[in-house]
Amino acid sequence: MGVDMDGLTTRQLSGWQVSLRLARMARPLLGWLIGSAFGRVVSQLSLLGIFALSGLALGVIAGGGSIGGPPADVGPVGYATAEMVTTAEYTPPSPIGNWVPLVSVLLGLALLRGLASYLEHFLGHFVAFRSLEMIRVRFFEALIPQAPFDARTLKTGDLLTTATKDIDRIEVYFAHTLVPLIGAVVVPCVTVGVAAGLVHPLMALVLGAGVVVTALVPLLGQSAGSRAGRALAQVRGEQGTYLVDTLQSAREIISYQQVDARIAGLRDSEVRLADALGVSGRVDGLRQSLVSMLPVITMLVLTVMGGYLFVTGTVGLPGVFACIAVAIPAHIPATAIEGFASELKLSFASARRVFAAMDRAPSIPASVQAVAPDEPRVLEVDHVTLGYSSNTDALVSVVQDVSFRVQPGQMVAVVGSSGSGKSTLAAALVRLMDACVGSVRLAGLDLRDWDVDALRDEVAIVRQREYLFAGSVRDNLLMAAPGATERDLLQACQWAGLCVDVQGNPVTPSAHGEARDALNSGEAVIGGVLGPSAFLIDLPKGLDTQVGPRATQISGGQKQRIALARALLRTQTLGIGRARILILDEATSDLDVDTQAVVTASIEAHAKAGGSTIVVAHRLSTIQDADEILVMENGRIVERGRHQELLDARGLYAQMWSAQME
């Protein structure tokens, strides 16, 4: 749960606090927002003017006057009263007069309303979408330092829902909240003020009371509505996680005949969603019914009171008709509050989820010193314990009291059964997690004191399940070295075992030099044959081969080799990157023997260039030449030494070797 700048946990933020935080984020767009509010006020006042003038015209005609003609010089507001109309001495003027001025004014107000309405919506949505753009940028800027994410507290589907649907729902606040709220205050105040000054204070009081009550209706059931909004946001986030898991594991679901079970789980989430929507719907229905009735009730009260004031000679018919005519449109600004009130609850609930994700503390705190030393790149692991906090805040250790040292040019292998802590240890070496006890040092400096960007430049890691982005092989390789040339990319592919000779055979270590010479002479090609020493990339369209979503259009071995080529582009071995430490975490598990030989030769070349290599492996045949082999069991190093030394010791490593050889 994130912590807001005011010291409150993000989920405890009130609606006002959420509103203020959103408003602060949109501060650069304040001028555009004021323009939108101005357009809304002008649009609604124009509408009221149209109704008011129409009511006045009808009142004049009903009172015996004429449109555009001279008014009767009788009555309290210049028009005939009921008493005068009923006397024999009164002769009403002709209702036919010059309508042109009135029609011209009405058309002008209609045109003004249209232009102002366009201005309001254009600027309002410009502010809304520009604000969402700013929020998304800040959202991802806040997420980057939090990587890697803790799968125990943050689910991918839930985060995806927050980054898309939740941020989209915040649009309601910018496009349909601030500007309507300004209109709901300004327009009724102007209307009531004009009515009080030109008609009668009692008529203005009734009109104002109706508008105020309508504006207060959205406060009914606010607590229940807010709870329903939070429940809706939570259920939708859980649904996002459930659907992502279902789609990503579709093969397993079908293979294990779990289709019905997954559908049942989805139905269960739909039931909980329907329950939350039911609570919200009942509250919204009550408010909407009241909002629908109040303008009509106000109009009826104005009719009764206006009739009384007219009969008593206090107000003329034009004033009464004008007040009755504006009764319903005067409620439109206040009615708009109810229109966005229900959506605003969901918007605030989504905003709280967005802020909660943004306010999470980075999993890897930034260094205070932020330095990158110039000392030799000796990697030291000193009595390191790694783990995580359980639900009871007790430390659950995964790696315990591990120590070793890797000199430049050395290769150290880490082996052990699944769950022994090998991959967790590899993650600590690139500071994807920090040691609970002990320290990991590079060039004599604790990794926590390194500049994070400088540390990332020093280390290249390839995991067993490395992620490739949808796009071409070239796109994925250029992520590691955006400035790499075509020759650089081809060379990385060659060293990663992605190349074959003209007969279609892997470029083995014996042909490695010949293939490199072909590359340097310009004979290396993506397709076709240029000569006896030419080679090509073992992919349908070479570097332009599309890997597909989640690398579904290539094999597992090809995926591993592309990931390895991407990491090699960051190393100093190829003369492109600066990384002097290469970590392979089960990175060659899907490779055949010939391709593994090419990768082994590349690791040897990396060592000759002064680079260090840490290999996490299950296949012991791939690490026989390691300078030191660390054997892990239950999070601890139980054996260490070279290959033959460990075989002679007849311990766990010897047992693992014997089992694999058999």
Side-chain angles (χ1 to χ4, degrees), residues 286-309:
L286 173 62
R287 289 201 299 256
Q288 289 173 8
S289 63
L290 290 175
V291 167
S292 299
M293 289 190 299
L294 284 171
V296 178
I297 294 173
T298 302
M299 187 173 65
L300 292 176
V301 174
L302 284 172
T303 302
V304 174
M305 178 171 289
Y308 170 77
L309 293 175

Side-chain angles (χ1 to χ4, degrees), residues 515-555:
R516 185 170 59 252
D517 293 339
L519 177 69
N520 293 331
S521 66
E523 294 182 353
V525 292
I526 296 178
V529 177
L530 289 183
S533 60
F535 67 94
L536 49 87
I537 296 178
D538 187 21
L539 290 169
K541 295 184 179 180
L543 293 174
D544 295 319
T545 301
Q546 297 293 313
V547 302
R550 295 185 292 118
T552 53
Q553 296 180 11
I554 57 177
S555 69

Side-chain angles (χ1 to χ4, degrees), residues 217-231 279-280 283 287 345 352:
V217 166
L219 296 179
L220 295 176
Q222 191 68 27
S223 178
S226 296
R227 289 195 299 271
R230 288 193 293 270
V279 174
S280 178
V283 174
R287 289 201 299 256
K345 296 192 302 291
R352 289 186 181 96

Side-chain angles (χ1 to χ4, degrees), residues 273-504:
L273 182 63
D275 291 340
L277 285 172
V279 174
S280 178
R282 287 190 291 272
V283 174
D284 292 344
L286 173 62
R287 289 201 299 256
Q288 289 173 8
S289 63
L290 290 175
V291 167
S292 299
M293 289 190 299
L294 284 171
V296 178
I297 294 173
T298 302
M299 187 173 65
L300 292 176
V301 174
L302 284 172
T303 302
V304 174
M305 178 171 289
Y308 170 77
L309 293 175
F310 170 70
V311 170
T312 58
T314 308
V315 177
L317 282 180
V320 174
F321 273 65
C323 280
I324 294 174
V326 301
I328 291 181
H331 283 73
I332 291 178
T335 304
I337 297 179
E338 167 53 28
F340 66 71
S342 57
E343 291 295 326
L344 189 61
K345 296 192 302 291
L346 299 179
S347 181
F348 279 178
S350 294
R352 289 186 181 96
R353 285 165 52 84
V354 171
F355 293 152
M358 292 174 62
D359 294 340
R360 288 176 180 269
S363 57
I364 305 299
S367 169
V368 177
Q369 299 181 37
V371 296
D374 295 327
E375 301 297 324
R377 295 326 194 222
V378 178
L379 181 65
E380 300 172 278
V381 178
D382 186 12
H383 297 286
V384 164
T385 295
L386 302 168
Y388 58 89
S389 298
S390 65
N391 294 332
T392 60
D393 292 332
L395 179 65
V396 178
S397 298
V398 179
V399 172
Q400 304 175 52
D401 196 26
V402 168
S403 298
F404 63 92
R405 182 184 180 97
V406 186
Q407 295 282 356
Q410 282 190 330
M411 181 179 107
V412 172
V414 183
V415 301
S417 59
S418 297
S420 59
K422 305 185 301 298
S423 294
T424 302
L425 179 60
L429 301 182
V430 292
R431 210 190 167 205
L432 293 179
M433 63 186 304
D434 283 334
C436 304
V437 179
S439 64
V440 180
R441 296 188 295 274
L442 180 60
L445 186 67
D446 194 301
L447 296 189
R448 287 169 286 206
D449 295 326
W450 271 76
D451 175 78
V452 175
D453 291 335
L455 178 61
R456 298 290 185 258
D457 285 340
E458 292 285 340
V459 183
I461 183 170
V462 187
R463 303 170 186 80
Q464 182 179 10
R465 297 290 179 259
E466 194 76 1
Y467 190 88
L468 296 185
F469 291 88
S472 67
V473 174
R474 186 192 313 276
D475 296 334
N476 278 277
L477 294 181
L478 287 175
M479 284 188 61
T485 65
E486 192 85 357
R487 183 179 297 276
D488 295 333
L489 300 182
L490 290 171
Q491 189 175 6
C493 290
Q494 173 199 335
W495 283 56
L498 266 172
C499 296
V500 295
D501 59 24
V502 292
Q503 286 81 32

Side-chain angles (χ1 to χ4, degrees), residues 531-598:
S533 60
F535 67 94
L536 49 87
I537 296 178
D538 187 21
L539 290 169
K541 295 184 179 180
L543 293 174
D544 295 319
T545 301
Q546 297 293 313
V547 302
R550 295 185 292 118
T552 53
Q553 296 180 11
I554 57 177
S555 69
Q558 289 171 331
K559 178 180 177 181
Q560 282 195 337
R561 285 177 282 171
I562 293 171
L564 181 59
R566 184 168 63 183
L568 288 172
L569 281 169
R570 294 185 63 86
T571 66
Q572 62 178 2
T573 309
L574 301 181
I576 303 170
R578 299 190 312 183
R580 282 171 271 190
I581 297 178
L582 178 64
I583 300 176
L584 305 178
D585 184 4
E586 299 289 354
T588 61
S589 58
D590 292 336
L591 303 186
D592 56 53
V593 175
D594 289 336
T595 306
Q596 175 66 55
V598 178

